[in-house]
Amino acid sequence: MHHMNRRHFLKSTAAGIVAAQTSLSWAAEKNKVMLPAKVVDTHTHFYDPTRPEGVPWPPKNSSLYRTVLPKDFVALPKYQPVNATVVVEASKLVEDNQWILDLAKDNPVIIGFVGRLTPGDPQFRQQLKRFAKNPIYKGIRVNYNLIEPGLSQPKFVDDLKLMADKGLQVDLNGGPVTLDAARKVSKLVPDLRIVVDHIGNVVIKGDEIDPEWQRYMEALSDQKQVFIKVSALVEGASRHRPNDVPAEVDYYRPTLDVIWKQIGVDRMIFGSNWPVAERAADYVTLQKILVDYLQDKGQAALDKVFWQNSKVAYRWDKYPGE
């Protein structure tokens, strides 16, 4: 009897172990996360308030007011390694365009730079010629408050046409109405590649979608040269829930679904808006939200959104290490 019990015990234990292993392997399979082959972060800011001329942004009373350099970005904990970034201007000082270009010489993580110059300005063409000699210089960022008046000025539009002729691009930044501005610019300058920053800075309220923002997004569905930068999601949520920014993808899914449906997999681009984003969530969280969203869209979608589309929009040349 004793032997029978022992044999039964061993048999049942072995069966239990096999069942447990099967269960574990199923769980591991279930939790296996698809990741893009590589990641390009198309929206970071670098600056140094200790330089003699200081910085016009961020303000001294901000938690962002500190030296932020490529080495700080590289050292940042991430959900998946990010070895390349397109830097976007954080300063209105013309010479700060050169400062970032100089920074890029010693920091291969910088594969592109979106500078800041003012189309329509008498100095614009001369300045653009100077900076665009450097292949890292991919275009400029224009804030919405300049676009609306600018579109009625022939010189402003001509300067945008010049950028298109040079194979450069424009980032547009502002509230949801910036999506409408992108549509207008694309009609006037059809050869210009346009990237709308931060999905139009809409306030993200879970299931409650901003109807005006949705209408503007729908109107961009056939504007093939307009890309949407999927950045500032956590900041959008923090405007609605400042003390409780959700880390789960389901809160952002309704918003992302609108972009996915109207803009599509070929025109969505990942950006972090770091270090600004850290006031709402850490880098791991903001990266994971988009990875999680794309899980059921397939490997090709992950690669397009996290790096391939950025190559089309910004025409960067080489991923570091390749």
Side-chain angles (χ1 to χ4, degrees), residues 7-303:
R7 194 181 306 139
H8 178 73
F9 170 76
L10 289 172
K11 200 173 174 184
S12 63
T13 302
I17 289 169
V18 169
Q21 285 173 337
T22 306
S23 169
L24 280 170
S25 66
W26 178 80
E29 195 61 42
K30 187 168 179 282
N31 292 330
K32 206 189 217 171
V33 176
M34 273 193 302
L35 294 171
K38 55 188 86 157
V39 181
V40 174
D41 183 340
T42 63
H43 209 101
T44 53
H45 300 297
F46 300 130
Y47 47 87
D48 183 0
T50 68
R51 290 162 60 217
E53 59 274 44
V55 291
W57 177 92
K60 287 184 180 176
N61 62 354
S62 166
S63 62
L64 299 171
Y65 189 80
R66 63 179 196 274
T67 301
V68 179
L69 296 173
K71 65 180 174 60
D72 304 310
F73 175 71
V74 170
L76 204 61
K78 304 185 180 73
Y79 185 61
Q80 176 190 4
V82 181
N83 298 314
T85 185
V86 175
V87 182
V88 179
E89 63 76 22
S91 167
K92 62 186 179 191
L93 303 177
V94 169
E95 286 309 313
D96 282 357
N97 287 272
Q98 189 60 50
W99 185 74
I100 295 283
L101 292 174
D102 291 343
L103 210 55
K105 287 178 198 165
D106 304 316
N107 293 279
V109 70
I110 299 175
I111 61 170
F113 174 45
V114 180
R116 180 154 164 183
L117 300 171
T118 307
D121 187 274
Q123 304 298 311
F124 177 82
R125 292 186 169 226
Q126 188 184 342
Q127 291 165 348
L128 186 70
K129 187 178 176 185
R130 171 190 166 190
F131 296 123
K133 280 180 186 166
N134 188 320
I136 290 288
Y137 205 83
K138 302 302 181 187
I140 60 168
R141 173 154 89 162
V142 182
N143 288 324
Y144 175 75
N145 62 342
L146 292 177
I147 303 163
E148 208 52 52
L151 290 180
S152 60
Q153 297 166 17
K155 190 158 184 354
F156 182 94
V157 177
D158 284 347
D159 284 347
L160 293 183
K161 286 178 177 169
L162 174 69
M163 294 196 63
D165 292 344
K166 287 182 171 288
L168 299 168
Q169 62 75 231
V170 172
D171 267 41
L172 301 182
N173 184 49
V177 72
T178 309
L179 296 162
D180 192 48
R183 185 185 58 79
K184 291 175 182 171
V185 173
S186 70
K187 297 276 193 196
L188 286 170
V189 193
D191 296 332
L192 182 66
R193 298 185 319 284
I194 299 163
V195 181
V196 179
D197 292 348
H198 313 325
I199 69 168
N201 288 292
V202 69
V203 178
I204 299 178
K205 301 180 178 179
D207 290 333
E208 187 187 332
I209 298 292
D210 180 322
E212 182 189 54
W213 174 84
Q214 184 165 358
R215 277 199 308 277
Y216 289 146
M217 199 64 82
E218 287 167 359
L220 278 176
S221 62
D222 60 346
Q223 305 297 315
K224 298 303 179 197
Q225 75 277 42
V226 178
F227 297 81
I228 299 297
K229 192 177 289 186
V230 185
S231 53
L233 293 179
V234 290
E235 296 95 304
S238 74
R239 293 191 196 105
H240 182 55
R241 290 169 52 166
N243 304 314
D244 176 30
V245 177
E248 299 74 33
V249 68
D250 286 343
Y251 183 81
Y252 304 90
R253 196 180 298 280
T255 298
L256 289 166
D257 280 346
V258 171
I259 305 168
W260 179 265
K261 186 180 171 191
Q262 302 303 333
I263 303 302
V265 68
D266 294 320
R267 291 157 55 204
M268 293 168 66
I269 299 174
F270 166 69
S272 70
N273 197 27
W274 187 83
V276 181
E278 71 185 21
R279 294 185 297 183
D282 60 37
Y283 199 100
V284 171
T285 299
L286 66 86
Q287 206 179 349
K288 187 175 184 299
I289 288 166
L290 192 53
V291 169
D292 287 351
Y293 178 74
L294 293 168
Q295 284 306 293
D296 64 347
K297 314 289 187 200
Q299 187 67 47
L302 279 156
D303 286 320

